[in-house]
Every structure is written in C-alpha cells, then in structure tokens.
Amino acid sequence: MLYLDDMQVGATRSFGRYEVTREEVLDFARKYDPQPFHLSDEAAAETHFGRLAASGWHTCAMTMSMFVAEMAVHPQASLGAAGVDELRWLKPVHPGDVLRCESEILEVNPSRSRPDMGSMRTQTTTYNQHGEPVLRFVALALMRRRPA
C-alpha cells in the first residue's frame, strides 16, 4: 500500500491501455452527451472533428477507468479527490484509438489540521496510440498518511 508519505514530487508513472470502440462512443453519447458529432459519422464530417469523435467526458471516464485499474495493481491509501483543475481536451478521440496515461506528482502536502491525511496534486495526460496528448488535467487527491 502506498501512502502520502511515499509520494515524491516529480515522480512519474505510465499506465493503462484502453481500446476505444465505436459502440462505446455511441452508447456514451446517447446517454450523456448526445451532440450530433458524437452520434453520427455524417454530422461529425461537417465539423472540425472530421469523423465520429468520443465525448470529452467519455475520454475523462476512460482515463478514470485506467486510473482505477492501475490502483488495483498498485494500491494507494486513497481517500478520493477534492477536484480537478485545468481540464483540457487537446485532441479528439476516435473509435479505434488506443489510449494510455502518464501521471506526474506536482505537490505533496500533509494536512496541518488532520495529521492522518494530506493531499497531492498530480498532472495526468492521456495519449493516443500515436503518442499525441488527447486529455490533460490536474487533480487534487486526498490520501492517508502512513499509520504510526
């Protein structure tokens, strides 16, 4: 188990592999983001996307899926997150893309009022199979400190 005390500013890790399917792009869009360029090849062809594109929110969900799978392999004393800053959709994600993630620790801050926990800021970037960044955000994660 990794605790806040184990986290070092500047540490990076690469993780995940997510194959984006057409059916999943359409299902997500129908349920959560039913804009024409997420639902139709023809409508997407009329936009800057050029072809069917996954919702940015779907890209966030795929990234979260890879993150949770990574935590199952390398458990952390996570207490969830306090939020996300600087969320950017950098490039469209299309059916057939294969995504992966890289994360860097930007800050580690033990709590002054709760000695059993603290927070860390991380920057996560999701890449497609060509190594092009498609998503980037900074998250504020809450974590337990190592028990005494």
Side-chain angles (χ1 to χ4, degrees), residues 56-119:
W57 297 113
H58 185 193
T59 305
C60 290
M62 292 182 276
T63 298
M64 189 66 191
S65 177
M66 288 185 280
F67 183 76
V68 171
E70 171 70 4
M71 285 185 15
V73 175
H74 299 101
Q76 296 181 11
S78 173
L79 296 170
V84 171
D85 298 319
E86 304 172 34
L87 172 63
R88 298 288 182 266
W89 294 298
L90 304 169
K91 191 167 183 63
V93 171
H94 302 285
D97 283 351
V98 179
L99 306 179
R100 65 178 179 82
C101 298
E102 292 182 6
S103 188
E104 178 183 2
I105 298 173
L106 304 176
E107 294 177 14
V108 177
N109 297 303
S111 173
R112 289 181 287 231
S113 61
R114 300 265 323 259
D116 60 325
M117 65 180 286
S119 64

Short mmCIF file of all heavy atoms in Angstrom, two decimals, residues 56-119:
data_model
loop_
_atom_site.label_atom_id
_atom_site.label_comp_id
_atom_site.label_asym_id
_atom_site.label_seq_id
_atom_site.Cartn_x
_atom_site.Cartn_y
_atom_site.Cartn_z
N GLY A 56 -15.66 14.42 -24.83
CA GLY A 56 -14.56 14.69 -23.91
C GLY A 56 -14.83 14.08 -22.54
O GLY A 56 -13.92 13.60 -21.87
N TRP A 57 -16.10 14.08 -22.14
CA TRP A 57 -16.46 13.48 -20.85
C TRP A 57 -16.24 11.97 -20.90
O TRP A 57 -15.86 11.37 -19.89
CB TRP A 57 -17.89 13.83 -20.47
CG TRP A 57 -18.06 15.30 -20.29
CD1 TRP A 57 -18.79 16.15 -21.07
CD2 TRP A 57 -17.43 16.10 -19.29
NE1 TRP A 57 -18.66 17.43 -20.61
CE2 TRP A 57 -17.83 17.44 -19.51
CE3 TRP A 57 -16.57 15.85 -18.23
CZ2 TRP A 57 -17.41 18.50 -18.71
CZ3 TRP A 57 -16.15 16.90 -17.43
CH2 TRP A 57 -16.56 18.20 -17.67
N HIS A 58 -16.45 11.37 -22.05
CA HIS A 58 -16.17 9.94 -22.21
C HIS A 58 -14.67 9.70 -22.09
O HIS A 58 -14.24 8.73 -21.46
CB HIS A 58 -16.72 9.47 -23.55
CG HIS A 58 -16.61 8.00 -23.78
ND1 HIS A 58 -16.81 7.44 -25.01
CD2 HIS A 58 -16.32 6.97 -22.95
CE1 HIS A 58 -16.65 6.12 -24.93
NE2 HIS A 58 -16.35 5.82 -23.69
N THR A 59 -13.88 10.58 -22.69
CA THR A 59 -12.42 10.46 -22.57
C THR A 59 -12.00 10.54 -21.11
O THR A 59 -11.14 9.79 -20.65
CB THR A 59 -11.72 11.53 -23.42
OG1 THR A 59 -12.18 11.42 -24.77
CG2 THR A 59 -10.21 11.36 -23.39
N CYS A 60 -12.64 11.43 -20.34
CA CYS A 60 -12.37 11.50 -18.90
C CYS A 60 -12.72 10.18 -18.23
O CYS A 60 -11.96 9.68 -17.38
CB CYS A 60 -13.18 12.62 -18.26
SG CYS A 60 -12.65 14.28 -18.68
N ALA A 61 -13.86 9.60 -18.58
CA ALA A 61 -14.30 8.34 -17.97
C ALA A 61 -13.35 7.21 -18.33
O ALA A 61 -13.02 6.36 -17.48
CB ALA A 61 -15.72 8.01 -18.40
N MET A 62 -12.87 7.17 -19.57
CA MET A 62 -11.91 6.13 -19.97
C MET A 62 -10.61 6.29 -19.20
O MET A 62 -10.00 5.30 -18.76
CB MET A 62 -11.68 6.16 -21.48
CG MET A 62 -12.90 5.72 -22.29
SD MET A 62 -12.62 5.70 -24.08
CE MET A 62 -12.91 7.41 -24.52
N THR A 63 -10.19 7.53 -19.02
CA THR A 63 -8.98 7.81 -18.23
C THR A 63 -9.16 7.34 -16.80
O THR A 63 -8.28 6.70 -16.22
CB THR A 63 -8.64 9.31 -18.29
OG1 THR A 63 -8.38 9.67 -19.66
CG2 THR A 63 -7.45 9.66 -17.42
N MET A 64 -10.32 7.63 -16.21
CA MET A 64 -10.59 7.19 -14.84
C MET A 64 -10.57 5.67 -14.74
O MET A 64 -10.06 5.11 -13.77
CB MET A 64 -11.93 7.74 -14.37
CG MET A 64 -12.18 7.52 -12.91
SD MET A 64 -10.99 8.47 -11.94
CE MET A 64 -11.28 7.79 -10.33
N SER A 65 -11.10 4.99 -15.75
CA SER A 65 -11.09 3.53 -15.77
C SER A 65 -9.66 3.00 -15.72
O SER A 65 -9.35 2.06 -14.98
CB SER A 65 -11.81 3.03 -17.02
OG SER A 65 -11.75 1.62 -17.08
N MET A 66 -8.77 3.62 -16.50
CA MET A 66 -7.36 3.18 -16.49
C MET A 66 -6.72 3.49 -15.14
O MET A 66 -5.92 2.70 -14.63
CB MET A 66 -6.59 3.87 -17.62
CG MET A 66 -6.93 3.34 -19.00
SD MET A 66 -5.91 4.06 -20.30
CE MET A 66 -6.73 5.64 -20.56
N PHE A 67 -7.06 4.63 -14.56
CA PHE A 67 -6.50 5.01 -13.26
C PHE A 67 -6.92 4.02 -12.17
O PHE A 67 -6.10 3.57 -11.37
CB PHE A 67 -6.94 6.43 -12.90
CG PHE A 67 -6.35 6.92 -11.62
CD1 PHE A 67 -5.02 7.34 -11.57
CD2 PHE A 67 -7.10 6.95 -10.47
CE1 PHE A 67 -4.47 7.77 -10.38
CE2 PHE A 67 -6.55 7.39 -9.27
CZ PHE A 67 -5.23 7.80 -9.23
N VAL A 68 -8.20 3.65 -12.14
CA VAL A 68 -8.68 2.71 -11.13
C VAL A 68 -8.04 1.34 -11.32
O VAL A 68 -7.66 0.68 -10.34
CB VAL A 68 -10.22 2.64 -11.14
CG1 VAL A 68 -10.73 1.52 -10.26
CG2 VAL A 68 -10.81 3.97 -10.70
N ALA A 69 -7.87 0.90 -12.56
CA ALA A 69 -7.20 -0.38 -12.83
C ALA A 69 -5.75 -0.33 -12.33
O ALA A 69 -5.25 -1.31 -11.77
CB ALA A 69 -7.25 -0.70 -14.32
N GLU A 70 -5.09 0.79 -12.50
CA GLU A 70 -3.70 0.95 -12.01
C GLU A 70 -3.67 0.88 -10.49
O GLU A 70 -2.77 0.28 -9.90
CB GLU A 70 -3.13 2.27 -12.51
CG GLU A 70 -1.81 2.67 -11.91
CD GLU A 70 -0.63 1.81 -12.34
OE1 GLU A 70 -0.79 0.92 -13.18
OE2 GLU A 70 0.48 2.04 -11.81
N MET A 71 -4.64 1.49 -9.83
CA MET A 71 -4.68 1.46 -8.36
C MET A 71 -4.95 0.05 -7.84
O MET A 71 -4.54 -0.28 -6.74
CB MET A 71 -5.72 2.44 -7.82
CG MET A 71 -5.23 3.86 -7.92
SD MET A 71 -6.27 5.17 -7.19
CE MET A 71 -7.40 4.36 -6.16
N ALA A 72 -5.63 -0.78 -8.62
CA ALA A 72 -5.85 -2.17 -8.20
C ALA A 72 -4.54 -2.95 -8.21
O ALA A 72 -4.33 -3.83 -7.38
CB ALA A 72 -6.88 -2.83 -9.12
N VAL A 73 -3.64 -2.61 -9.13
CA VAL A 73 -2.34 -3.28 -9.22
C VAL A 73 -1.35 -2.70 -8.21
O VAL A 73 -0.55 -3.43 -7.62
CB VAL A 73 -1.78 -3.15 -10.66
CG1 VAL A 73 -0.37 -3.71 -10.75
CG2 VAL A 73 -2.70 -3.83 -11.65
N HIS A 74 -1.41 -1.38 -8.02
CA HIS A 74 -0.52 -0.67 -7.08
C HIS A 74 -1.39 0.10 -6.10
O HIS A 74 -1.61 1.31 -6.28
CB HIS A 74 0.42 0.27 -7.84
CG HIS A 74 1.31 -0.42 -8.79
ND1 HIS A 74 1.09 -0.45 -10.15
CD2 HIS A 74 2.43 -1.14 -8.59
CE1 HIS A 74 2.03 -1.14 -10.74
NE2 HIS A 74 2.86 -1.58 -9.82
N PRO A 75 -1.91 -0.56 -5.06
CA PRO A 75 -2.87 0.07 -4.15
C PRO A 75 -2.30 1.32 -3.47
O PRO A 75 -1.13 1.38 -3.11
CB PRO A 75 -3.15 -1.02 -3.12
CG PRO A 75 -2.79 -2.30 -3.78
CD PRO A 75 -1.66 -1.96 -4.71
N GLN A 76 -3.18 2.29 -3.35
CA GLN A 76 -2.86 3.53 -2.66
C GLN A 76 -3.88 3.74 -1.55
O GLN A 76 -5.01 3.28 -1.64
CB GLN A 76 -2.94 4.72 -3.62
CG GLN A 76 -1.93 4.68 -4.73
CD GLN A 76 -2.06 5.90 -5.62
OE1 GLN A 76 -2.74 6.87 -5.31
NE2 GLN A 76 -1.38 5.86 -6.74
N ALA A 77 -3.47 4.47 -0.53
CA ALA A 77 -4.36 4.80 0.58
C ALA A 77 -5.20 6.02 0.21
O ALA A 77 -5.23 7.03 0.90
CB ALA A 77 -3.54 5.04 1.84
N SER A 78 -5.90 5.89 -0.90
CA SER A 78 -6.68 6.99 -1.45
C SER A 78 -7.91 7.27 -0.61
O SER A 78 -8.58 6.36 -0.13
CB SER A 78 -7.10 6.65 -2.88
OG SER A 78 -7.98 7.64 -3.37
N LEU A 79 -8.21 8.55 -0.49
CA LEU A 79 -9.45 9.00 0.15
C LEU A 79 -10.32 9.74 -0.85
O LEU A 79 -11.18 10.54 -0.47
CB LEU A 79 -9.12 9.90 1.35
CG LEU A 79 -8.36 9.23 2.49
CD1 LEU A 79 -7.87 10.26 3.50
CD2 LEU A 79 -9.24 8.18 3.16
N GLY A 80 -10.07 9.49 -2.14
CA GLY A 80 -10.83 10.18 -3.18
C GLY A 80 -10.12 11.44 -3.62
O GLY A 80 -8.92 11.63 -3.38
N ALA A 81 -10.85 12.31 -4.26
CA ALA A 81 -10.27 13.56 -4.78
C ALA A 81 -11.12 14.74 -4.37
O ALA A 81 -12.33 14.61 -4.18
CB ALA A 81 -10.14 13.49 -6.30
N ALA A 82 -10.47 15.87 -4.26
CA ALA A 82 -11.17 17.11 -3.91
C ALA A 82 -11.55 17.91 -5.14
O ALA A 82 -12.26 18.90 -5.04
CB ALA A 82 -10.31 17.95 -2.98
N GLY A 83 -11.08 17.47 -6.30
CA GLY A 83 -11.46 18.17 -7.52
C GLY A 83 -10.41 18.07 -8.61
O GLY A 83 -9.35 17.48 -8.42
N VAL A 84 -10.75 18.66 -9.74
CA VAL A 84 -9.90 18.67 -10.92
C VAL A 84 -9.78 20.10 -11.41
O VAL A 84 -10.77 20.83 -11.46
CB VAL A 84 -10.49 17.77 -12.04
CG1 VAL A 84 -9.75 17.94 -13.34
CG2 VAL A 84 -10.50 16.32 -11.61
N ASP A 85 -8.58 20.50 -11.77
CA ASP A 85 -8.32 21.83 -12.33
C ASP A 85 -7.71 21.66 -13.72
O ASP A 85 -7.16 20.61 -14.05
CB ASP A 85 -7.31 22.59 -11.46
CG ASP A 85 -7.81 22.85 -10.06
OD1 ASP A 85 -8.99 23.18 -9.91
OD2 ASP A 85 -7.02 22.70 -9.11
N GLU A 86 -7.79 22.71 -14.49
CA GLU A 86 -7.06 22.78 -15.76
C GLU A 86 -7.38 21.62 -16.70
O GLU A 86 -6.51 21.12 -17.40
CB GLU A 86 -5.55 22.85 -15.51
CG GLU A 86 -5.15 24.01 -14.61
CD GLU A 86 -3.69 23.97 -14.20
OE1 GLU A 86 -2.85 23.53 -15.01
OE2 GLU A 86 -3.40 24.38 -13.07
N LEU A 87 -8.62 21.19 -16.72
CA LEU A 87 -9.04 20.11 -17.62
C LEU A 87 -9.01 20.63 -19.05
O LEU A 87 -9.64 21.64 -19.36
CB LEU A 87 -10.44 19.62 -17.25
CG LEU A 87 -11.09 18.64 -18.20
CD1 LEU A 87 -10.29 17.34 -18.28
CD2 LEU A 87 -12.52 18.36 -17.77
N ARG A 88 -8.29 19.90 -19.92
CA ARG A 88 -8.21 20.28 -21.32
C ARG A 88 -8.38 19.05 -22.21
O ARG A 88 -7.73 18.03 -21.99
CB ARG A 88 -6.84 20.92 -21.65
CG ARG A 88 -6.56 22.20 -20.89
CD ARG A 88 -7.43 23.35 -21.41
NE ARG A 88 -7.13 24.57 -20.71
CZ ARG A 88 -7.79 25.01 -19.64
NH1 ARG A 88 -8.77 24.31 -19.13
NH2 ARG A 88 -7.47 26.14 -19.07
N TRP A 89 -9.25 19.19 -23.20
CA TRP A 89 -9.37 18.18 -24.24
C TRP A 89 -8.50 18.67 -25.38
O TRP A 89 -8.82 19.67 -26.04
CB TRP A 89 -10.83 18.02 -24.66
CG TRP A 89 -11.66 17.45 -23.55
CD1 TRP A 89 -11.50 16.24 -22.96
CD2 TRP A 89 -12.76 18.06 -22.88
NE1 TRP A 89 -12.42 16.05 -21.96
CE2 TRP A 89 -13.22 17.16 -21.90
CE3 TRP A 89 -13.41 19.29 -23.01
CZ2 TRP A 89 -14.29 17.43 -21.06
CZ3 TRP A 89 -14.48 19.56 -22.18
CH2 TRP A 89 -14.91 18.65 -21.22
N LEU A 90 -7.39 18.02 -25.61
CA LEU A 90 -6.36 18.52 -26.51
C LEU A 90 -6.51 18.05 -27.95
O LEU A 90 -6.05 18.73 -28.87
CB LEU A 90 -4.98 18.10 -25.97
CG LEU A 90 -4.70 18.55 -24.54
CD1 LEU A 90 -3.45 17.87 -24.00
CD2 LEU A 90 -4.58 20.07 -24.50
N LYS A 91 -7.10 16.90 -28.13
CA LYS A 91 -7.24 16.31 -29.46
C LYS A 91 -8.42 15.35 -29.41
O LYS A 91 -8.64 14.70 -28.40
CB LYS A 91 -5.95 15.58 -29.81
CG LYS A 91 -5.82 15.14 -31.24
CD LYS A 91 -4.37 14.72 -31.51
CE LYS A 91 -4.14 14.34 -32.94
NZ LYS A 91 -4.35 15.40 -33.89
N PRO A 92 -9.18 15.24 -30.50
CA PRO A 92 -10.31 14.31 -30.47
C PRO A 92 -9.86 12.86 -30.32
O PRO A 92 -8.78 12.47 -30.77
CB PRO A 92 -10.99 14.52 -31.83
CG PRO A 92 -10.31 15.63 -32.50
CD PRO A 92 -9.08 15.98 -31.74
N VAL A 93 -10.72 12.09 -29.69
CA VAL A 93 -10.54 10.64 -29.56
C VAL A 93 -11.57 9.99 -30.46
O VAL A 93 -12.74 10.35 -30.44
CB VAL A 93 -10.70 10.20 -28.10
CG1 VAL A 93 -10.74 8.69 -27.98
CG2 VAL A 93 -9.59 10.79 -27.24
N HIS A 94 -11.12 9.02 -31.26
CA HIS A 94 -11.98 8.38 -32.25
C HIS A 94 -12.06 6.88 -31.99
O HIS A 94 -11.14 6.29 -31.41
CB HIS A 94 -11.42 8.60 -33.66
CG HIS A 94 -11.27 10.04 -34.03
ND1 HIS A 94 -12.33 10.84 -34.36
CD2 HIS A 94 -10.16 10.82 -34.13
CE1 HIS A 94 -11.90 12.05 -34.65
NE2 HIS A 94 -10.58 12.07 -34.51
N PRO A 95 -13.13 6.25 -32.45
CA PRO A 95 -13.18 4.79 -32.39
C PRO A 95 -11.94 4.20 -33.07
O PRO A 95 -11.49 4.70 -34.11
CB PRO A 95 -14.45 4.45 -33.18
CG PRO A 95 -15.31 5.65 -33.02
CD PRO A 95 -14.35 6.81 -33.03
N GLY A 96 -11.37 3.19 -32.44
CA GLY A 96 -10.14 2.57 -32.95
C GLY A 96 -8.89 3.09 -32.27
O GLY A 96 -7.83 2.46 -32.35
N ASP A 97 -8.98 4.24 -31.59
CA ASP A 97 -7.81 4.75 -30.86
C ASP A 97 -7.52 3.83 -29.67
O ASP A 97 -8.42 3.19 -29.13
CB ASP A 97 -8.06 6.18 -30.34
CG ASP A 97 -7.93 7.24 -31.41
OD1 ASP A 97 -7.47 6.93 -32.53
OD2 ASP A 97 -8.30 8.40 -31.13
N VAL A 98 -6.26 3.81 -29.29
CA VAL A 98 -5.82 3.07 -28.10
C VAL A 98 -5.16 4.09 -27.18
O VAL A 98 -4.17 4.72 -27.55
CB VAL A 98 -4.85 1.92 -28.47
CG1 VAL A 98 -4.40 1.20 -27.20
CG2 VAL A 98 -5.50 0.95 -29.45
N LEU A 99 -5.72 4.23 -26.00
CA LEU A 99 -5.28 5.26 -25.06
C LEU A 99 -4.38 4.68 -23.97
O LEU A 99 -4.48 3.50 -23.63
CB LEU A 99 -6.49 5.92 -24.41
CG LEU A 99 -7.54 6.49 -25.37
CD1 LEU A 99 -8.69 7.09 -24.57
CD2 LEU A 99 -6.93 7.51 -26.31
N ARG A 100 -3.55 5.55 -23.42
CA ARG A 100 -2.70 5.23 -22.26
C ARG A 100 -2.51 6.52 -21.49
O ARG A 100 -2.78 7.61 -22.00
CB ARG A 100 -1.36 4.65 -22.68
CG ARG A 100 -0.49 5.63 -23.44
CD ARG A 100 0.86 5.06 -23.83
NE ARG A 100 1.64 6.04 -24.57
CZ ARG A 100 2.34 7.03 -24.03
NH1 ARG A 100 2.39 7.16 -22.71
NH2 ARG A 100 3.01 7.88 -24.76
N CYS A 101 -2.00 6.43 -20.25
CA CYS A 101 -1.86 7.60 -19.38
C CYS A 101 -0.45 7.74 -18.84
O CYS A 101 0.28 6.76 -18.69
CB CYS A 101 -2.81 7.48 -18.19
SG CYS A 101 -4.53 7.44 -18.61
N GLU A 102 -0.12 8.97 -18.50
CA GLU A 102 1.07 9.29 -17.73
C GLU A 102 0.66 10.28 -16.66
O GLU A 102 -0.15 11.17 -16.91
CB GLU A 102 2.18 9.89 -18.60
CG GLU A 102 2.76 8.91 -19.58
CD GLU A 102 3.89 9.48 -20.42
OE1 GLU A 102 4.32 10.63 -20.17
OE2 GLU A 102 4.35 8.78 -21.33
N SER A 103 1.23 10.12 -15.47
CA SER A 103 0.89 10.99 -14.36
C SER A 103 2.17 11.45 -13.67
O SER A 103 3.13 10.69 -13.56
CB SER A 103 0.01 10.22 -13.37
OG SER A 103 -0.48 11.09 -12.38
N GLU A 104 2.18 12.71 -13.24
CA GLU A 104 3.32 13.28 -12.53
C GLU A 104 2.84 13.93 -11.25
O GLU A 104 1.82 14.65 -11.25
CB GLU A 104 4.03 14.32 -13.38
CG GLU A 104 5.20 14.98 -12.66
CD GLU A 104 5.88 16.08 -13.46
OE1 GLU A 104 5.44 16.37 -14.58
OE2 GLU A 104 6.86 16.65 -12.94
N ILE A 105 3.55 13.70 -10.16
CA ILE A 105 3.22 14.34 -8.88
C ILE A 105 3.80 15.75 -8.87
O ILE A 105 5.00 15.94 -9.04
CB ILE A 105 3.76 13.52 -7.69
CG1 ILE A 105 3.12 12.12 -7.68
CG2 ILE A 105 3.50 14.25 -6.37
CD1 ILE A 105 3.70 11.18 -6.65
N LEU A 106 2.93 16.73 -8.67
CA LEU A 106 3.33 18.14 -8.66
C LEU A 106 3.56 18.68 -7.26
O LEU A 106 4.44 19.51 -7.05
CB LEU A 106 2.26 18.99 -9.35
CG LEU A 106 1.89 18.60 -10.79
CD1 LEU A 106 0.75 19.49 -11.28
CD2 LEU A 106 3.10 18.70 -11.69
N GLU A 107 2.75 18.23 -6.30
CA GLU A 107 2.85 18.70 -4.90
C GLU A 107 2.42 17.59 -3.97
O GLU A 107 1.54 16.81 -4.31
CB GLU A 107 1.90 19.88 -4.64
CG GLU A 107 2.19 21.15 -5.36
CD GLU A 107 1.14 22.21 -5.06
OE1 GLU A 107 0.33 22.05 -4.11
OE2 GLU A 107 1.10 23.20 -5.79
N VAL A 108 3.01 17.55 -2.79
CA VAL A 108 2.60 16.65 -1.71
C VAL A 108 2.48 17.52 -0.46
O VAL A 108 3.44 18.18 -0.07
CB VAL A 108 3.62 15.51 -1.48
CG1 VAL A 108 3.20 14.64 -0.30
CG2 VAL A 108 3.78 14.67 -2.74
N ASN A 109 1.30 17.51 0.16
CA ASN A 109 1.05 18.39 1.31
C ASN A 109 0.36 17.65 2.45
O ASN A 109 -0.83 17.36 2.38
CB ASN A 109 0.15 19.56 0.88
CG ASN A 109 0.80 20.42 -0.16
OD1 ASN A 109 1.88 20.94 0.06
ND2 ASN A 109 0.16 20.55 -1.31
N PRO A 110 1.11 17.32 3.51
CA PRO A 110 0.45 16.77 4.70
C PRO A 110 -0.52 17.81 5.26
O PRO A 110 -0.26 19.00 5.23
CB PRO A 110 1.61 16.54 5.67
CG PRO A 110 2.83 16.48 4.80
CD PRO A 110 2.56 17.41 3.65
N SER A 111 -1.64 17.36 5.79
CA SER A 111 -2.63 18.26 6.36
C SER A 111 -2.12 18.82 7.68
O SER A 111 -1.54 18.10 8.49
CB SER A 111 -3.94 17.50 6.60
OG SER A 111 -4.85 18.31 7.30
N ARG A 112 -2.37 20.10 7.90
CA ARG A 112 -1.98 20.72 9.18
C ARG A 112 -3.02 20.42 10.26
O ARG A 112 -2.69 20.36 11.43
CB ARG A 112 -1.83 22.22 9.00
CG ARG A 112 -0.59 22.57 8.19
CD ARG A 112 -0.47 24.06 8.05
NE ARG A 112 -1.49 24.52 7.12
CZ ARG A 112 -1.27 25.30 6.08
NH1 ARG A 112 -0.07 25.75 5.86
NH2 ARG A 112 -2.24 25.64 5.28
N SER A 113 -4.28 20.22 9.85
CA SER A 113 -5.33 20.00 10.84
C SER A 113 -5.68 18.52 11.03
O SER A 113 -6.29 18.17 12.03
CB SER A 113 -6.59 20.78 10.44
OG SER A 113 -7.06 20.32 9.19
N ARG A 114 -5.32 17.69 10.07
CA ARG A 114 -5.62 16.25 10.14
C ARG A 114 -4.32 15.48 9.92
O ARG A 114 -3.96 15.18 8.78
CB ARG A 114 -6.64 15.85 9.06
CG ARG A 114 -7.98 16.53 9.12
CD ARG A 114 -9.05 15.77 9.87
NE ARG A 114 -9.06 14.34 9.72
CZ ARG A 114 -9.87 13.65 8.95
NH1 ARG A 114 -10.74 14.27 8.18
NH2 ARG A 114 -9.82 12.35 8.94
N PRO A 115 -3.58 15.16 10.97
CA PRO A 115 -2.26 14.53 10.80
C PRO A 115 -2.31 13.14 10.16
O PRO A 115 -1.28 12.64 9.73
CB PRO A 115 -1.72 14.45 12.23
CG PRO A 115 -2.88 14.64 13.13
CD PRO A 115 -3.92 15.41 12.37
N ASP A 116 -3.49 12.55 10.06
CA ASP A 116 -3.61 11.21 9.47
C ASP A 116 -3.79 11.24 7.95
O ASP A 116 -3.87 10.20 7.31
CB ASP A 116 -4.79 10.47 10.10
CG ASP A 116 -6.12 11.18 9.88
OD1 ASP A 116 -6.15 12.44 9.88
OD2 ASP A 116 -7.14 10.49 9.71
N MET A 117 -3.82 12.45 7.36
CA MET A 117 -4.06 12.54 5.92
C MET A 117 -3.37 13.75 5.31
O MET A 117 -2.75 14.55 6.01
CB MET A 117 -5.56 12.59 5.63
CG MET A 117 -6.26 13.83 6.16
SD MET A 117 -8.03 13.87 5.82
CE MET A 117 -8.04 14.23 4.08
N GLY A 118 -3.48 13.87 4.02
CA GLY A 118 -2.93 15.00 3.30
C GLY A 118 -3.43 14.98 1.87
O GLY A 118 -4.34 14.22 1.52
N SER A 119 -2.81 15.81 1.05
CA SER A 119 -3.23 15.89 -0.35
C SER A 119 -2.01 15.92 -1.27
O SER A 119 -0.90 16.23 -0.85
CB SER A 119 -4.07 17.15 -0.57
OG SER A 119 -3.28 18.31 -0.35
#
